[in-house]
Amino acid sequence: MSKLPKLLLPTPSQSFHQRKSKILSALAVPKEEYTDLSPKGSVDIGIRDLIDEINTREGLVTTSSCAGRVSVYLEGGGRSPSSQSAQQEAEEEGKDNVRSSSAGGKGGGEWLFVSHDPISSLSVERGSFEELFGLQPWQGGDGAEEEDQEGRMIHFKFEPMILHILTASNGHAQRVVQAGMEAGFRETGAVSLLSRQDDDHNPIVAVRSMGLSFESLVGIEGSNGTRKAVVGSGYLDRVVKNSERLFKENEKRIERFRKALKTAFEENPKRKEGWEDAETRRERKRLEGLKRKEEIQKQKEAEEAKIAGGGPRSVDLMLEPPEVL
């Protein structure tokens, strides 16, 4: 992605400052007392430092976040287009540590298992992944017995980091989008980019990537409420190991985003101590060359003066050995 010109950013409006202050006040509550409207009810530890860093920047404040997670999800009842839409809406709302909207639950869907850490790192005593996910072991077949034709599907999912950032202007939003794209969050984008007359304009940027997402059907809930696996233990082992690989890649991209965002909001990202632009460097080199030339000339004149005065010749000027008389 081509670099955006470093245009001066506008000063955030008073309205933006008020919205940011309200959000930060909620985050300032002690961790043991903090709660939000997400299923987890708190900010993910794996992303808390990044959120704090973002919120210290003028013109930016996070509104919702998820460091990445693995889940087993029971979809809502029915598979009509309207119910599918409701399910998608519920999943999207429930994805983040939302501080400004509902946590979801529409469509009748239910999370059977959620973790924001790799499953292998959990301190959970389990007999099997089926037991961990609340499923009866696979008994063969595809799980689509006649009495379960209206059953609800159970999905295993990995979802990478998603971060919503309220920005003070289009310029602020563009820099966040640039950082997200450079870090590998290819579906990063902003909404409400067109300002309205007499309307305070604060675009929201969603930093996200569907490329790391993974989903697989692993079970079904029958009409009697029984939840059965439709894949064997070996398959569940494989999807869990795949999610652990995706967790590692997700962590790398989060770190790249942190660094890219820092660079994007430095007015002169290369101007570190001792750094100089091309024109300054050329002038410095020219002056250094002139000074060196002057020193060489002075040294040469001093040597010539010694020779003319009958003094000993400099070793540097003794090109031939003296004649023997």
Side-chain angles (χ1 to χ4, degrees), residues 21 28 36 55 72 78 103 105 110 131 145 171 190-191 204 207 219 229-230 275 277 285 293 296 317:
S21 178
D36 56 36
N55 290 340
V72 177
E110 179 183 349
E131 183 178 344
E145 290 83 356
V191 297
I204 293 180
V207 182
V230 294
W275 181 88
D277 58 30
K285 288 293 186 181
K293 184 177 181 180
I296 292 174
L317 297 178

Side-chain angles (χ1 to χ4, degrees), residues 73 81-91 106-107:
Y73 184 77
S82 60
S83 67
Q84 291 183 47
S85 176
Q87 175 197 343
Q88 182 176 1
E89 181 180 358
E91 293 178 11
K106 298 178 182 179

Side-chain angles (χ1 to χ4, degrees), residues 21 66-67 81 116 221 264 273 279 323:
S21 178
C66 177
H116 292 80
E221 181 184 75
E273 184 178 356
E279 183 178 353
E323 297 181 4

Side-chain angles (χ1 to χ4, degrees), residues 123-134:
S123 57
V124 177
E125 294 294 333
R126 63 172 181 82
S128 64
F129 287 128
E130 290 91 342
E131 183 178 344
L132 183 64
F133 302 152

Side-chain angles (χ1 to χ4, degrees), residues 216-231:
S216 177
L217 175 67
V218 295
I220 188 171
E221 181 184 75
S223 55
N224 61 357
T226 301
R227 296 166 180 169
K228 306 174 183 178
V230 294
V231 294

Side-chain angles (χ1 to χ4, degrees), residues 13-24:
S13 66
Q14 182 62 32
S15 175
F16 175 82
H17 280 302
Q18 291 174 350
R19 297 174 71 181
K20 180 172 182 175
S21 178
K22 184 177 180 181
I23 292 173
L24 295 184

